[in-house]
Amino acid sequence: MSEDFLQNPSVILILLGNYVFLITLFFIQRRIGKKNHRYDERYYQVNNQAKGKTWDVMLVVMLIAWPIVIMFDGISFSFFLLTILYILHCMIFAIASAYYNSNE
């Protein structure tokens, strides 16, 4: 266990609370979307294409990042790198989704 975690184990409760909050938001958004008929066949096609391209690109990025993490294994650097990878993943998904929406 890291020293930061041992000094402040309540961070786990904050993370779990955050997960519960996000799952609740997901189900609320999903329910509203179903009532407004947002989830049609076109929605699933566009999202599946965007997700596929996102994971293709993300796999290459992660394969490049792994040796870097191994070489510079530090708590702050690894956390920073993983955060950047997550943000990059979300941005690529948004770009791919916009691209496939414009092609439809």
Side-chain angles (χ1 to χ4, degrees):
M1 301 272 179
S2 71
E3 288 182 36
D4 293 334
F5 174 73
L6 293 175
Q7 290 175 0
N8 193 6
S10 63
V11 172
I12 294 295
L13 292 176
I14 294 169
L15 288 173
L16 291 175
N18 187 35
Y19 292 146
V20 169
F21 176 71
L22 290 175
I23 290 170
T24 304
L25 281 180
F26 169 78
F27 284 116
I28 291 171
Q29 181 267 344
R30 190 85 175 149
R31 187 174 188 187
I32 292 170
K34 283 184 179 183
K35 285 183 181 178
N36 294 334
H37 305 289
R38 289 186 196 149
Y39 303 113
D40 58 355
E41 184 177 322
R42 181 178 172 275
Y43 166 84
Y44 288 110
Q45 179 186 4
V46 168
N47 278 338
N48 286 337
Q49 288 175 338
K51 287 176 190 176
K53 292 298 177 192
T54 301
W55 282 112
D56 291 345
V57 172
M58 199 59 200
L59 177 61
V60 173
V61 170
M62 289 175 69
L63 289 174
I64 293 169
W66 282 338
I68 295 170
V69 170
I70 290 170
M71 290 187 302
F72 301 103
D73 189 29
I75 298 265
S76 61
F77 179 75
S78 60
F79 177 75
F80 177 76
L81 185 62
L82 290 174
T83 303
I84 294 297
L85 287 174
Y86 178 73
I87 291 169
L88 182 63
H89 170 76
C90 291
M91 287 173 42
I92 293 169
F93 179 77
I95 292 167
S97 182
Y99 171 77
Y100 286 116
N101 272 326
S102 70
N103 284 347
E104 290 291 318

